[in-house]
Every structure is written in structure tokens, then in C-alpha cells.
Amino acid sequence: YMSPIPINASMGMLASLIIAFVFTPWLTNILLAKVHLSHDAEHSDSYNEKNEKNDKLNAFFTRLMSPFLQGRAGQRNRWLLLLGIFVLIALALLLVANKMVVLKMLPFDNKSELQVVLDMPEGSSLEQTSRVLHEIGGFLDTVTEVTDYEVYAGTASPISFNGLIRQYYLRKGANVGDIQVNLIDKQHRQRKSHEIALAIRQPIQTIARKYSGNAKIVEVPPGPPVQSPLVAEIYGLDYTGQIREAKQIRQLFENTADIIDIDDSIEYPSTKFTVVVDRQKAALLGVNQAAIVQALATVLNGADVTYLHDKHLKYPAPVRLEYSEIDKADLEQVLALRVRSESGNLVPLLEIIQLQKGTREHNIYHKDLLPVVFVTADMGGVVDSPLYGMFEISAELENNNSLAQYFISQPENPYEYTLKWDGEWQITYETFRDMGIAYAVGLLMIYLLVVAQFRSYLVPLVIMAPIPLTIIGIMPGHALLGAQFTATSMIGMIALAGIIVRNSILLVDFINQLLSDGIALHDAVVQSASVRAKPIILTGIAAMIGGFFIIDDPIFGGLAISLIFGLLVSTLLTLLVIPVVYYAAMEKR
């Protein structure tokens, strides 16, 4: 889903490299061909001014680095510097533990549509479902950001990517309904679509609960959709036992703060009446059983009793006979029907039938050929990330010694009651796992590349040392702006590794050049920072400016925050850390 980002970034870097080595020299030669650059008397003032600035920069880095380069005191200060960096990294990671930086797969996008999904109790009439949907629609009329909406009673709304994954297109029956809500363009409203969804959720659910229904506010996901943000799958040997366990899990969901849109796959128990014909009595009265069945089918489902023929009609028009919807819903009215016996007498159905009251059979859902009961939910509130709600519920289950829980793989033993967590957690785990592997492979390839360049196994470790410094800027940056750490933030963090290594290579390569010219190691590391500081800082600022153009984007804002704050902190620390670490590694070599 995110593959276009690294592909385009890699192609962009390749193109910029070609431009830097081919186009830039060519254009410089054309534009500056007639410009005479010399350091004669008329330019001596500017030349001296430039040297004075370089001397100031060199003096600054000398004062900054000298405490880390002088004898035993310098060695002690280097250890203190290392300890301070570890403390800063730990404090940055502590922001995640304290929920000051929230982990989430992808942030909510600002879409122009919402969906209201209504589930009424099984056995509810289509008219009742339609009544609830139109009452919800009446409330939506009062929301200023809503332009229009479409009500679908007894059927599903037009299929969408989200509905395809959540199988909304299969919803069919008198007890289900959808409302497709369209919002005004995001340029003409102050609230984002997610804020609107949070605002209308409680009033809509209040209307649905008044009629024993369950309404969910469904937002179009910014990334790969899942069945629900929070999914608990209950497995076991007996489906009745699975339902019992699922009800307890749902109760735990309802008792957990900020868990919203709670639902399950357990069907509402509805009454079923079975008509049993008293064969002996029907035979005595001369009533055929087939006549009884046909009469009930006619009044409930309708039957074509005759046809009308007209010269203006291409096909005969059927005359259909059936009860009205009101009479169909009245059991006494249905059973008041009379059927004709073989003698021609009308016999009431109540005299020749018996009613057996029971409960409708429920559907049994399967996953990987195993029967399963789903408990689904979402999370709102301040944290607004289903991962934290899942871990809170999981901890509560652990404290109660409840079901065995599986987070990654499917349950091993299908003969015991177990819980498998799915939903956004599964796709978040797989995404960050794959990107973590890619990050490790990328670091390995960078290491091998630098080994080939410097013919050393130690120098590449020095060059790659500042990579963890990006965390010191990324996490506080997200906390400062109140942003969630998402998959795009992780992509920015991976991209920073290459940028920081580039700066390190510039510093180390310049140090080696100075050493080859006979300059002492102490002076070489100081001069590398003072001379390379300006180009390194300028390239960092250029990359940071590019990030500001997407920092307001709801999806790629995390990438921009990682680039801006990661570059800001790591670039400044690199100018100190790389020379000092290189000095410590090469002092006795």
C-alpha cells in the first residue's frame, strides 16, 4: 500500500544525483563562463571577511569539542556524552509508554462521506427498520456539514472498498439498513469528518437503542480496511459455549473506557411459529393438507390466481392475491383464514392445525474452517487508537485468568475456548514488522556499502552511530504537535537513516583527507565540523522546508514531522557526535 513512496523517493534520489553531476556543472559553465573570479585587491575585503567567519566557526567547534578530546578528562566526558544520549533516547521512548505519543496504523483522513450501519433485532419488519433509518435521517438534517444522505432499508448501499472488506455488500434482510451520508467539501467546513463522526455517534446510537437496534458510524479508512478496528475472535469446541464466552467478552468491552461501536455476530433470539397440521382431524373434515399449505403460502407470499389479457399488452398481466403487510404481521388474522373442504364447507385453520412456538436457528460463522464468534468495536476518546484498548482488555483478561489469548498466530488447539485478536492490530503488527525488517536490511546494506568505501569494519559503525539520534527528535516532535506515530512516520524514520549516514560520510571523509595532509587527529576532527557544518546544515534545512509542505496532510503529516524534527536534532548532534566518536575510535590507531 505504501510501496509508491520508497519507489518514487529512490527514483527521485537517482535523478537528483544525475542532475548534480551532469546538469549542474553544465549550467554553471554556461551562466558563469564570463564571470572572472579572483582574489586580487578589490576582493580582499570580502575574502578576509570570509576567513574571519571561518575562524569564528572553527573557534566555536574548538571550544565545543575540546572537553571531549583532552586526555583522561576527555575520555570521561565522552562516556558522559554517550550516557546523556542514551538518556535522551530513553526519554523519547518514554513518551510512547506514557501515551504522549500514540501509536496507530494510519491517522483518520478528512473524507467527504460517512456511513451509518443499522442492525435491528432479527425478526424486525422492514417498515420498523425504515422508520428507525428515517428518524436517524431526521437528525442528520440538523447537522450543518451534511449536504444529503441516501437511505437503504433491507439492502446494502452501493459497494465500496471498505464495504468489500467488511462484507457490507452481503447485508440483506428486513432487519438491516444503511445510510450513506455526504458532507460538504473539506475546504468549506471547519470540522474534519472524524470530528463530525464523533459528534453524531451518540445521538444516532440513542435513536437506535430506543428501538432495540444497534447503529455504527463507519468512516472511510485512510488505508487498507479491516473488518473492524478492534476484533476479538472466539474459538472453541461448542458453538453455544463460544456464544457464552463472546457475551462475557462483549461485557468487558462495554466496561472499558472509550470503547465504542460495540457489536458481535450473535444473532438476536427471535420467535418462530411452526404450523403443524392435525392430519386426523383434517381427514375427518375433508381438508387436503396441500390446500392448507397453498392457502398459507398465498396469503403470506402471494400467488398469481389469474391473468388479464389485453390487445395493448405484450404479455398477460398477472392478478396477484395476498394479505396486506399489516395483516401478515397479525398472527391471529393469518390463522383466521378458512379453507374449503372437499364437501364445499369452509373450515377455519385453527380447527385443523397446531402452533408450536420456538426460536429461529442462528447462523454459524466460520474462519479457516473453524466456527467462530466475532466481537467487534472501535475506540474513541483522547487516545483514539484501538491498540491501547485491545491491550487494556487483554490485561483485564489476564488478571481474571480468562481465555487463552493469541495475538499473531491462530489458536493451536481448536478444542478449547480461545481468543484471537484481529482487526487493526493485525495489519499494524504486520506493517511495522515488515518495515522493521526492511529497516534492518537497509542498515545492513548501508554498512556493507560504507565498508566497501572506507575499507574498514570499524569506520562504518562510527558513521552509522548517529542513526538512533533521530528518535530524540522524532518522538518529541510528535508529542509537541499532538500527532500520532503512524506508518508514514515510520517511513520518514527509515528515510532519515540514509540522510544522516550521508552527513556522517561527509565528515569522516573530510577527516581522512586532513589526516592524509599531515594534520593532527585533534585538529582534523575540529576542522571537519567547522568546514562541513554549513553545507550539512543547509542541506538539512532544505529537506526540512520540503517537509513543511505536507505537514498539514492528515495522512502524510507523520512523515513530515519525522523528517523535520528528526533532521533538526540529528543534524545538530551529528556535528558533535561523529567527530568525537571518530576521535575515540581512532585515537590509538
Side-chain angles (χ1 to χ4, degrees):
Y1 192 81
M2 293 292 180
S3 60
I5 297 178
I7 293 174
N8 293 335
S10 300
M11 296 303 296
M13 291 294 292
L14 181 61
S16 66
L17 186 66
I18 296 174
I19 291 172
F21 283 107
V22 178
F23 181 78
T24 302
W26 170 78
L27 187 61
T28 302
N29 183 53
I30 293 177
L31 297 179
L32 302 181
K34 297 182 180 180
V35 177
H36 300 283
L37 300 177
S38 61
H39 299 292
D40 53 13
E42 61 181 279
H43 298 286
S44 60
D45 293 338
S46 60
Y47 181 72
N48 294 332
E49 183 180 351
K50 181 179 178 181
N51 285 336
E52 184 179 351
K53 290 182 179 178
N54 290 337
D55 291 340
K56 289 183 178 179
L57 202 57
N58 190 67
F60 169 77
F61 279 102
T62 301
R63 290 194 304 270
L64 179 65
M65 294 185 182
S66 294
F68 301 100
L69 307 178
Q70 297 174 351
R72 292 184 177 180
Q75 184 178 9
R76 185 187 69 251
N77 291 333
R78 288 196 295 269
W79 283 109
L80 291 176
L81 176 63
L82 180 64
L83 178 61
I85 291 174
F86 281 134
V87 170
L88 290 176
I89 294 175
L91 291 176
L93 296 177
L94 196 61
L95 296 175
V96 177
N98 292 336
K99 298 182 181 179
M100 296 183 68
V101 176
V102 176
L103 301 179
K104 199 175 190 298
M105 173 60 190
L106 283 175
F108 288 101
D109 199 358
N110 191 9
K111 299 290 187 177
S112 60
E113 60 179 312
L114 295 171
Q115 188 176 1
V116 180
V117 178
L118 176 66
D119 291 295
M120 297 294 290
E122 278 73 11
S124 300
S125 64
L126 182 63
E127 290 75 17
Q128 179 73 350
T129 303
S130 179
R131 182 188 309 166
V132 178
L133 289 171
H134 282 86
E135 188 169 336
I136 295 174
F139 166 74
L140 293 174
D141 285 330
T142 63
V143 180
T144 56
E145 291 90 351
V146 174
T147 58
D148 56 82
Y149 59 88
E150 295 178 349
V151 175
Y152 299 87
T155 186
S157 59
I159 191 171
S160 63
F161 185 33
N162 189 34
L164 179 66
I165 301 299
R166 299 190 177 190
Q167 300 182 350
Y168 286 161
Y169 65 98
L170 297 177
R171 289 168 52 84
K172 183 179 180 182
N175 64 309
V176 300
D178 291 354
I179 301 180
Q180 190 70 32
V181 184
N182 297 319
L183 307 175
I184 61 177
D185 189 80
K186 59 183 179 182
Q187 305 294 337
H188 301 99
R189 52 181 162 88
Q190 295 181 348
R191 293 193 297 179
K192 296 182 179 180
S193 59
H194 179 59
E195 297 174 352
I196 298 173
L198 292 176
I200 67 176
R201 175 174 279 110
Q202 187 60 38
I204 288 179
Q205 290 182 340
T206 301
I207 295 174
R209 281 195 293 266
K210 185 170 62 174
Y211 299 96
S212 301
N214 183 22
K216 297 187 288 291
I217 311 300
V218 179
E219 302 178 58
V220 179
V226 291
Q227 179 181 352
S228 185
L230 197 58
V231 179
E233 302 171 355
I234 313 300
Y235 295 92
L237 179 62
D238 179 32
Y239 203 72
T240 303
Q242 290 176 247
I243 293 177
R244 182 182 64 252
E245 296 290 344
K247 289 181 178 179
Q248 296 178 2
I249 297 298
R250 174 164 183 163
Q251 185 64 41
L252 188 57
F253 275 44
E254 293 174 348
N255 295 336
T256 304
D258 298 330
I259 299 297
I260 57 178
D261 286 350
I262 303 171
D263 199 4
D264 54 47
S265 60
I266 303 172
E267 297 181 356
Y268 188 85
S270 57
T271 304
K272 178 181 69 173
F273 291 98
T274 304
V275 177
V276 180
V277 179
D278 189 335
R279 299 182 180 182
Q280 183 177 3
K281 187 177 292 185
L284 291 175
L285 295 175
V287 179
N288 191 349
Q289 295 184 49
I292 299 174
V293 175
Q294 184 179 3
L296 287 173
T298 299
V299 298
L300 293 177
N301 293 329
D304 298 337
V305 294
T306 186
Y307 294 88
L308 294 178
H309 299 272
D310 188 272
K311 61 180 180 179
H312 300 294
L313 297 177
K314 184 176 182 179
Y315 299 104
V319 178
R320 192 165 186 82
L321 182 65
E322 65 178 303
Y323 270 6
S324 65
E325 296 296 332
I326 297 178
D327 291 334
K328 288 180 184 179
D330 188 353
L331 184 59
E332 294 182 0
Q333 186 68 21
V334 173
L335 297 181
L337 180 68
R338 294 184 296 175
V339 295
R340 192 173 298 278
S341 65
E342 294 180 356
S343 61
N345 296 326
L346 293 176
V347 180
L349 283 179
L350 284 173
E351 295 185 6
I352 53 177
I353 66 167
Q354 295 178 353
L355 279 182
Q356 293 182 354
K357 187 176 181 181
T359 304
R360 287 186 180 183
E361 295 180 353
H362 51 72
N363 293 323
I364 298 179
Y365 294 87
H366 289 76
K367 182 177 179 180
D368 297 334
L369 303 180
L370 295 176
V372 60
V373 178
F374 298 101
V375 180
T376 61
D378 199 351
M379 190 166 186
V382 178
V383 177
D384 209 8
S385 176
L387 301 180
Y388 295 89
M390 183 195 74
F391 288 124
E392 185 175 349
I393 296 172
S394 174
E396 187 66 25
L397 288 173
E398 289 287 344
N399 295 334
N400 296 335
N401 295 322
S402 188
L403 299 176
Q405 302 179 67
Y406 290 82
F407 292 90
I408 301 173
S409 60
Q410 289 294 114
E412 300 176 355
N413 187 359
Y415 298 105
E416 63 178 8
Y417 296 115
T418 53
L419 186 153
K420 167 67 173 67
W421 290 104
D422 206 334
E424 188 171 308
W425 150 253
Q426 188 70 30
I427 196 170
T428 301
Y429 164 75
E430 293 175 356
T431 300
F432 280 90
R433 177 200 62 191
D434 294 345
M435 286 198 296
I437 295 174
Y439 192 34
V441 172
L443 294 179
L444 178 61
M445 294 180 67
I446 292 174
Y447 176 78
L448 295 178
L449 183 65
V450 179
V451 166
Q453 171 65 27
F454 289 94
R455 309 293 182 179
S456 170
Y457 292 104
L458 178 61
V459 173
L461 296 178
V462 175
I463 291 175
M464 298 176 66
I467 291 178
L469 301 180
T470 58
I471 299 177
I472 301 175
I474 291 174
M475 292 305 176
H478 282 78
L480 183 64
L481 298 182
Q484 297 170 330
F485 187 86
T486 62
T488 55
S489 304
M490 185 70 175
I491 292 175
M493 184 174 173
I494 295 174
L496 276 177
I499 298 175
I500 297 304
V501 167
R502 179 197 62 185
N503 296 338
S504 302
I505 291 175
L506 290 175
L507 290 170
V508 171
D509 185 65
F510 191 73
I511 293 174
N512 290 338
Q513 290 182 19
L514 295 177
L515 292 176
S516 64
D517 293 339
I519 298 178
L521 179 61
H522 179 283
D523 297 329
V525 295
V526 174
Q527 289 187 34
S528 68
S530 62
V531 174
R532 294 298 188 186
K534 186 178 295 184
I536 288 176
I537 292 175
L538 287 177
T539 54
I541 292 176
M544 290 168 60
I545 292 175
F548 278 106
F549 289 99
I550 59 173
I551 196 169
D552 288 334
D553 187 89
I555 303 300
F556 295 103
L559 189 149
I561 294 172
S562 295
L563 289 177
I564 294 171
F565 287 91
L567 278 172
L568 176 63
V569 174
S570 60
T571 299
L572 296 177
L573 289 178
T574 298
L575 293 172
L576 172 64
V577 172
I578 285 296
V580 170
V581 173
Y582 188 86
Y583 179 87
M586 299 298 176
E587 181 182 11
K588 297 180 180 180
R589 289 177 178 264

